[in-house]
Amino acid sequence: MSKEMMSGNEAIARAAYEAGVKVAAAYPGTPSSEIMENVAKYDEIFSQWGPNEKVAFEVALGAAFAGKRAICAMKHVGLNVAADPFFTASYSGVEAGFVIVSADEPGMHSSQNEQDNRNYAKFAKIPMLEPSDSQEAKDFTKLAFDISEKFDTPVLMRVTTRICHSKSMVELKERKETGLNEFPKKNTRKYVVIPAHARIKRVMVEQRLKDLAEYAENTDINRIEEGTRDLAFITSGFSHNYVKEVYPDAHFLKLGFTYPLPMKMIRKFVDQHKKVIVVEELDPFMEDQIKVAGINVHGMDIITNIGELNSDIIRNSIENTKDEVNDIGVSIPVRPPALCPGCPHRGVFTILREQSVRVMGDIGCYTLGVLPPLDNLDWCVCMGAGVSMVQGLEKAWDDEHADKIVGMVGDSTFFHSGITGLVDIVYNHGIGTIFVLDNSTTAMTGTQENPATGKDIKGKPATRVDIRKICEAVGIKEIYDVDPQDLDALGEVVAKALASKNPTVIITHRECILLPLRAKVKFTPLKIDTEKCIGCKSCVSVGCPALAYDKKLRKTRVLPELCVGCEVCSRMCPKSAFTKNGEPLVYEKRHKIRGK
Amino acid sequence: MENLNILIVGVGGQGVILASEVLTLVGIKAGFDVKKSEIHGMSQRGGSVSSDIRFNKVKVHSPVIARKSADFLVGFEKLEALRAIDMVADDGIIISSNYRLDPMTVSAGSMIYPDDVEGIVKENHEKTYFFDHVETIEKIKNPRAVNIYILGALASFIDIDKEIWIEVIKSRVPPKTVELNLNAFEEGLKIGG
């Protein structure tokens, strides 16, 4: 049996392989994206990116109805999108094992909120498992398929960023083929969820919870780790590691199966100790249920429910201490992420700022447009809202401000939930202007394919879904195609679209710079003629990491190792100080606009 | 040596992840339980990147290094080394490039990159080794091999057989660059003397 160093995400993918999964689907989202990227490496599994989490969920559920094991994966907010089928799949149950992986993000390293998706398990009455490392991520995922089949239910695997992206040793096993040998027979009372059938299932779901609670009492993934010192903890997920690190000799009730909770086991453990502290990341999910059962424990009265935990927080909270702050006497400038040098979105934000446009944003790399110096995003909530919220923003003032508002989605989020918003604008007398920033990839999560790229998850050719044709079919009469690095053309298009009284879509076409960089395409970096540079900072206002402004010399420098020569910055220069291949870069039209 | 905590910091795209992958494999080959953790996602877009690597003869519980407990802080960029200075154990060692890469906040002119970062780090931590980025590239002949040079520097302080390092580096770098990288590794080894 071989062992391999694996991230939690790789381990979950391996589990899908070993458990005989036939169909797997996901929508990319940090920290979950690598699960499906790794599943896609196994030819035995049909894997795919869905256009959104709801579709991915339903594809997988369909396979489970058809008698083959299936898995779907998403980031925490993705389960909000897939919540509709999630709740009802709890009633229908499955023909073969069905596992949903929710990758939560305590600390919000790249997320818009910190929701604790364990609540979904309780909410939908679906069993849940929480691994603490990569080996458990693999073992628990495989166990989840068995539980799913044994109790006729979907199973939720709740992982967090540190599980997904930490690496540790995992023991590999062979794949075992599973699932039905024949296509299942018709079973409407189970699989057609009309009220009459659902009322019967409703009762069965409650009984299933009781049976699952009994299972939780006896499974070995809920276990006691005896200690030698007078300290006792109930832990789950990654928090277990932090506590074990600080108090290796304490008593632990380590829970891997965390919904429904093994209340008898918990009561017995608590009775044996003077004081028991529940340590969990985010909500007091276990603590509240334990207290409702009349068992006296501590938890969030000692340890915070905000952000990612770590061993320092655990120690300081329990011992009531504070880290001494080491004052080094200088302030260290923060290093936020930024749009890459050569990013096609840079030109869009530059023009929108120039025309003082308010921007309804969306989730993707372009969300970085909010950061200085671009500083040109006004609102951002979730995927797709970059289209639909424009309608509300404009109608709230009877379209009075419509000539100064644009919405924004990417190619991937256009398919995710942008199309329905467009339909709404067309249908409900909207006149909004919507940007579709088509960079031929799902960039922020690591350049995954999407329906517009013409390739599937394995990189094989697939039918390309045409964004422009969808806009036409929806009823958008004014559609503009433009290169976002051609600032003149872009500026004209934006002015025209905003003046229009029709709903308008502007599709920007230029591939994400990471794609040619990865293909090792050679670029010619720009240079600056320092004699001509007057230090006006027009160029650095586009927020490019390849430019450095020297405050003392009052000149801009180009970092040749980063510059890809996209010429967005040089178009801003009033003195034509930039050169490429020794030739000065002059843009006459551009300078006229800027002169106005 | 019972356990070892190494924190590698830098900027997205500098090769922090490859260095930490190599280090992880070295630890495993040397017979340790190894865990590593890093934050992906937005950090890929030119933000701060850090990778925690922990070796233990018996078992590593949390892959995340606690404050003031890194035996080594490895900096690919000097401001990032300074930012993480609180993570180093009092008797730990800092190895860092003197490379300066301005964050957007600095290049856009809204914040100041502190003068004499090297001096501040040295003043606050005794066992600090800076190497000159430009000189090093001249010596090792390829800017892309700097991460392997840094691993050499690290190896010069760690009691793990040199052959293990070499074996892992050979297996992880592109075949055409093996010689170049091994040369960079040997150069790095000179840091610890």
Side-chain angles (χ1 to χ4, degrees), chain B residues 161-171 182 185-186:
Chain B
D161 193 359
K162 205 178 94 179
E163 291 310 311
I164 293 180
W165 294 84
I166 291 175
E167 202 183 318
V168 173
I169 291 167
K170 276 184 183 165
S171 74
L182 289 182
F185 180 74
E186 294 288 343

Side-chain angles (χ1 to χ4, degrees), chain B residues 6 32 35 96 103 118 130 132 141 153 178:
Chain B
I6 303 164
F32 291 95
K35 283 189 179 172
S96 179
E118 277 176 71
F130 271 99
D132 188 78
K141 297 182 186 73
V178 168

